[in-house]
Amino acid sequence: MPLLRGDQVVADERVRVPVDAPVPAAGPLLLDLARLTAEAEHLWHRPDGVGVELLPAQPVEALEDWLDRLDLVALRFPAFTDGRPFSSARILRARYRFGGEIRAVGRLIPDQAQFLRQCGFTTIEVDDADLPRWRAAQVRMSLTYQLGYAESAGPPALSVFRARHARSGRAAA
Amino acid sequence: MYRYDEFDEAFVRERTRQFRNQVARRLRGELSEEEFRPLRLMNGLYLQLHAYMLRVAIPYGVLSARQMRQLAMIAERWDKGYGHFTTRQNIQFNWPALKDVPDILDALADVEMHAIQTSGNCIRNVTTDQWAGVAADEVADPRPWCELLRQWSSLHPEFSFLPRKFKIAVTGSPHDRAAVKVHDIGLRMHRDPATGEAGFEVIVGGGQGRTPMIGKTIRGFLPLHQLLPYLSAIMRVYNRHGRRDNKYKARIKILVHELGQGEFTREVEAEFARDPGTDEVYALTEAEISRIARHFAPPPYERLAERHPRHDARVFASQDFARWVRSNTARHKVQGYAIVNVSLKPTGGIPGDADAAQMRLLADLAERYSHGEIRVTHHQNLVLPDVRLGDLFALWEELEPAGLGTPNVGLLGDIIACPGMDYCSLATARSIPIAQAISRRFQDLDRQREIGPLEIKISGCINACGHHHVGHIGILGVDKQGRELYQVTLGGSAAEDASLGSIVGPGFSADAVVDAIETIVATYLDQRQDGETFLAFTHRAGLKPFKEALYAAAPG
């Protein structure tokens, strides 16, 4: 499936490894947590990047020891109403300072695009057929009241509190 | 009251534009109902039994006269000429057409209002004491904090897809009029006895619904500036660990209950310790709160005497006026002023309903007598917070003929009822007609006065929107083999002495429930000790005297 990165559509080059298949010798990987746990020590020499996909019930804390060597964490939404991955992404960015790609996979609705970006997601896996809908629905809110969200990912929504503060600072000066 | 700046204005306008686009896609058939549902719910639009229902947020229950006039206009132009004030201090319009909703939202935005997050599994409209800022017993004004929470919780990127809806209530008074112990999070402002510093007691996991619970205190004293990071920690623990397998077990109260208060508290404190907020967050919170607080500076009160001789003479001269003053006004923090409670519970009426003419009249009266401000209470009444004692008589003379002067606030006729089967698709029984029948049976106001403080709360299904668990008398309508049956609970309270009512015995048919209430009241009047309220009596005497009176005489 293609990936939406900001407004760009990019191809997914990751190799997903079936449960009973061996890990291929080359190419960027996307493994599940069990596979990563089992084979972690044999993966870090690879030049092409290693990523892991977490289910919502799998805590990001499980990745703590490997985050500096992973270049992708994919977080699965089993339903768009399941908001757990938003917290997972936020923890990866804010607590662990994870700088790699965070990818949203699974059932999402286009109207969640902004929330995803603000929580630190950089890519969204989108079905080909849904691409026009995602593009059409990208009427974005340019303002946000929350602090500390989305400053590193994509065009940041304007923090209302910070903007007010800057303005009153200017007024005082 | 709070006024939008250009950022708030732009935020609501953008959101309204976004929803207009979504409605257009729905009307063109580009969105199915299934796809449209989450979008409309995020904007307060429900599909009810007969029509769409639009729930408009009234942040912490505070309305200006101008906003009230706009609600009247909306009621007339796009609804059937009335609106329904709810137990969440909001207003609902029961008959809007989908195609008109974007225009309604624009009309709301024109007066700094919206319907964002009045439904869906997100942080809902924050509620508070309807007497905030004017109550004689207030420790600190909760309204600036409510406004900060309104902004912080609006379209929160991390907490908009929670396991279930989430309700926060704040009180700044020791006498709790905001029911903080039966909310997902209750915040009670108080002062550290040692330092005098203001802070929050943080209460989590209260709630009503199918599994009523009283909230647990997880932090006795939280410094004010740490509020947002601490609430974020609670929300994050809930968002990650709250149950999502069963919607009836998804509220935070179940998580608190299943983890246990101790373990839940440890999880929150650990999360808070990892992400306690930065100096920048604290600085911006302080800057914001002082900016917001300026909007809630006291209005220009006059220096008035404690008593007003002409007012006293009128109380003496008119029994009707005296009755209204006794039940519908309350002590104001400023000498010479009173808080006026406007009853939306006329005898035989629909609790919480107001028509467009009444809304306009209230807007006029608020401007003339109360600094242009109106409050909505969770008892589905309205408040004019700042009325001079000398104006009370003139105000009453205008309220009375408009059906807004019923002197029953806090008395038996002041019934809370959910919309029930007359409107709601979840309901299993009617609640409005039961409220109307009880109200008619007890219409003698002197009798209500003799009975004293008594809160009757009626829900038309186990979701408990009518707060029956915390009614002094609670009535729950259920469906039993196609017949409506009403279960009666006694001894509940939503105040600082929060407690859940106990079921008195087998339920009653719609025809018999009013007689049952009559029997319950008679039992209380017969056996109460001097000055004992109904609630105090039920807590002392228990269910036994009521059971005997209700069921002993029954045949067989």
Side-chain angles (χ1 to χ4, degrees):
Chain A
M1 259 191 266
L3 300 172
L4 208 53
R5 179 191 294 277
D7 290 336
Q8 304 294 311
V9 179
V10 296
D12 178 11
E13 278 156 10
R14 296 280 161 170
V15 181
R16 290 169 186 267
V17 186
V19 178
D20 44 5
V23 173
L29 295 175
L30 180 52
L31 304 172
D32 62 28
L33 181 60
R35 196 66 181 263
L36 180 76
T37 309
E39 306 201 18
E41 296 320 312
H42 310 293
L43 298 170
W44 308 130
H45 66 279
R46 299 170 67 96
D48 294 328
V50 178
V52 64
E53 179 180 316
L54 294 185
L55 300 172
Q58 295 172 328
V60 287
E61 286 85 344
L63 304 178
E64 194 164 354
D65 294 341
W66 300 318
L67 279 175
D68 54 350
R69 284 170 288 184
L70 291 166
D71 70 338
L72 161 68
V73 178
L75 299 170
R76 179 158 292 276
F77 288 78
F80 78 87
T81 51
D82 190 332
R84 286 176 288 181
F86 289 107
S87 282
S88 300
R90 161 75 188 182
I91 292 168
L92 283 173
R93 292 283 185 231
R95 187 186 307 163
Y96 293 114
R97 307 284 166 200
F98 177 66
E101 175 185 350
I102 302 182
R103 182 185 297 186
V105 297
R107 297 181 60 88
L108 288 151
I109 53 175
D111 303 81
Q112 291 174 307
Q114 168 140 335
F115 289 157
L116 290 169
R117 261 196 305 276
Q118 286 179 281
C119 285
F121 286 91
T122 37
T123 51
I124 307 168
E125 193 181 87
V126 178
D127 200 84
D128 273 310
D130 285 340
L131 272 173
R133 281 200 326 133
W134 278 80
R135 288 214 160 122
Q138 301 255 6
V139 183
R140 276 183 228 150
M141 301 286 292
S142 61
L143 296 165
T144 175
Y145 285 108
Q146 296 75 30
L147 286 166
Y149 287 83
E151 268 111 33
S152 62
L158 179 64
S159 161
V160 173
F161 293 169
R162 201 166 277 133
R164 280 179 183 143
H165 192 66
R167 183 183 53 185
S168 66
R170 276 198 306 277
Chain B
M1 61 185 284
Y2 185 71
R3 297 299 311 267
Y4 281 8
D5 66 2
E6 70 268 33
F7 299 109
D8 301 306
E9 165 88 18
F11 179 85
V12 169
R13 292 288 182 192
E14 274 186 34
R15 182 65 172 175
T16 304
R17 249 194 317 277
Q18 193 179 39
F19 190 57
R20 181 179 288 280
N21 170 283
Q22 290 160 351
V23 169
R25 281 152 63 206
R26 171 73 186 119
L27 290 171
R28 285 197 303 266
E30 293 167 22
L31 289 176
S32 67
E33 165 55 19
E34 191 198 349
E35 292 167 315
F36 181 57
R37 187 171 174 277
L39 308 178
R40 65 172 166 76
L41 286 178
M42 282 178 232
N43 289 281
L45 191 62
Y46 284 76
L47 198 51
Q48 292 282 63
L49 214 47
H50 310 293
Y52 281 106
M53 178 271 278
L54 180 68
R55 181 181 294 151
V56 176
I58 299 176
Y60 36 94
V62 180
L63 273 177
S64 68
R66 179 167 167 255
Q67 290 172 327
M68 186 65 114
R69 281 197 193 94
Q70 192 79 336
L71 295 176
M73 187 279 282
I74 289 168
E76 269 179 351
R77 183 155 170 202
W78 290 298
D79 204 282
K80 294 188 175 182
Y82 64 94
H84 177 74
F85 290 97
T86 77
T87 55
R88 304 223 62 256
Q89 302 179 300
N90 289 327
I91 185 168
Q92 295 180 181
F93 293 107
N94 283 307
W95 308 97
L98 178 58
K99 67 173 178 48
D100 294 332
V101 171
D103 290 339
I104 299 176
L105 293 181
D106 272 338
L108 289 169
D110 288 344
V111 293
E112 305 175 13
M113 294 182 79
H114 61 69
I116 299 167
Q117 288 174 214
T118 56
S119 58
N121 294 336
C122 52
I123 301 170
R124 303 287 188 91
N125 185 27
V126 176
T127 55
T128 192
D129 184 354
Q130 66 271 13
W131 298 350
V134 294
D137 64 342
E138 190 166 273
V139 174
D141 188 348
R143 291 172 301 171
W145 296 96
C146 291
E147 174 58 27
L148 185 73
L149 292 180
R150 181 190 75 81
Q151 298 188 17
W152 165 79
S153 62
S154 290
L155 303 192
H156 198 293
E158 188 179 346
F159 305 130
S160 289
F161 295 89
L162 298 167
R164 199 75 179 85
K165 59 188 170 182
F166 204 91
K167 301 172 183 177
I168 302 176
V170 193
T171 179
S173 290
H175 181 51
D176 176 14
R177 289 169 290 263
V180 299
K181 289 184 182 171
V182 286
H183 280 77
D184 295 289
I185 293 179
L187 298 171
R188 186 179 70 85
M189 300 186 78
H190 63 115
R191 287 191 188 279
D192 185 319
T195 64
E197 182 196 351
F200 297 100
E201 176 187 353
V202 183
I203 301 161
V204 180
Q208 303 192 53
R210 293 167 192 241
T211 318
M213 289 189 189
I214 304 294
K216 318 283 189 298
T217 297
I218 65 164
R219 188 59 109 81
F221 187 87
L222 179 75
L224 297 177
H225 66 281
Q226 293 179 351
L227 181 65
L228 296 185
Y230 197 81
L231 291 192
S232 296
I234 297 173
M235 300 310 300
R236 190 166 295 138
V237 168
Y238 172 55
N239 191 40
R240 299 185 78 193
H241 303 300
R243 285 181 63 171
R244 292 174 187 266
D245 58 327
N246 178 344
K247 79 182 263 204
Y248 302 118
K249 294 186 187 299
R251 296 288 287 269
I252 197 172
K253 63 191 171 188
I254 304 292
L255 179 66
V256 175
H257 180 74
E258 288 183 351
L259 283 179
Q261 182 180 352
E263 179 54 26
F264 179 82
T265 307
R266 272 190 293 282
E267 294 256 354
V268 169
E269 291 290 346
E271 181 60 40
F272 178 58
R274 282 190 290 263
D275 198 354
T278 58
D279 287 345
E280 195 212 4
V281 168
Y282 296 153
L284 284 174
T285 301
E286 266 169 44
E288 257 308 292
I289 208 73
S290 59
R291 185 189 73 86
I292 293 170
R294 284 196 291 276
H295 290 269
F296 295 101
Y301 290 116
E302 295 167 41
R303 287 176 60 91
L304 300 170
E306 195 178 344
R307 300 192 74 89
H308 190 284
R310 214 166 58 229
H311 169 72
D312 290 347
R314 279 166 175 155
V315 168
F316 191 72
S318 162
Q319 212 189 344
D320 287 344
F321 178 55
R323 203 190 272 124
W324 179 81
V325 169
R326 252 203 321 268
S327 49
N328 289 28
T329 68
R331 202 159 79 81
H332 197 285
K333 68 175 185 186
V334 176
Q335 176 173 301
Y337 283 82
I339 301 168
V340 169
N341 299 291
V342 176
S343 172
L344 294 182
K345 319 288 176 66
T347 299
I350 296 174
D353 272 14
D355 65 31
Q358 290 176 318
M359 292 184 212
R360 288 206 181 89
L361 176 67
L362 281 161
D364 292 347
L365 295 174
E367 275 172 350
R368 215 171 319 148
Y369 298 119
S370 188
H371 295 119
E373 192 175 306
I374 301 148
R375 311 280 180 85
V376 184
T377 85
H378 86 266
H379 286 102
Q380 303 181 279
N381 289 320
L382 301 175
V383 169
L384 298 174
D386 289 311
V387 183
R388 289 178 301 200
L389 290 178
D391 288 336
L392 286 174
F393 187 76
L395 172 61
W396 173 72
E397 280 195 315
E398 299 215 43
L399 289 172
E400 179 61 30
L404 294 168
T406 314
N408 60 359
V409 170
L411 302 179
L412 192 152
D414 188 3
I415 299 169
I416 289 181
C418 73
M421 209 134 82
D422 294 288
Y423 292 99
C424 178
S425 49
L426 302 174
T428 47
R430 293 167 302 156
S431 26
I432 291 170
I434 303 299
Q436 290 171 310
I438 295 171
S439 157
R440 274 193 288 264
R441 175 73 68 88
F442 288 90
Q443 62 183 280
D444 180 341
L445 293 162
D446 289 323
R447 186 161 171 235
Q448 286 193 32
R449 164 61 51 189
E450 192 208 330
I451 295 163
L454 175 49
E455 297 179 357
I456 297 182
K457 303 185 179 184
I458 308 175
S459 305
C461 80
I462 50 177
N463 292 310
C465 298
H467 296 186
H468 66 276
H469 296 298
V470 292
H472 301 169
I473 298 177
I475 301 175
L476 165 64
V478 296
D479 175 84
K480 201 155 192 187
Q481 283 130 27
R483 279 181 59 237
E484 290 166 306
L485 195 73
Y486 293 88
Q487 210 169 63
V488 175
T489 52
L490 299 175
S493 166
E496 62 278 12
D497 57 355
S499 57
L500 304 171
S502 310
I503 297 172
V504 71
F508 303 90
S509 69
D511 294 335
V513 70
V514 184
D515 287 332
I517 302 305
E518 182 93 51
T519 304
I520 288 165
V521 169
T523 305
Y524 155 67
L525 289 178
D526 191 46
Q527 300 185 29
R528 71 176 167 187
Q529 292 169 359
D530 279 349
E532 192 174 42
T533 61
F534 180 86
L535 185 62
F537 174 76
T538 57
H539 287 171
R540 175 177 65 79
L543 296 176
K544 191 159 169 280
F546 297 108
K547 276 181 185 292
E548 284 170 6
L550 284 167
Y551 303 108

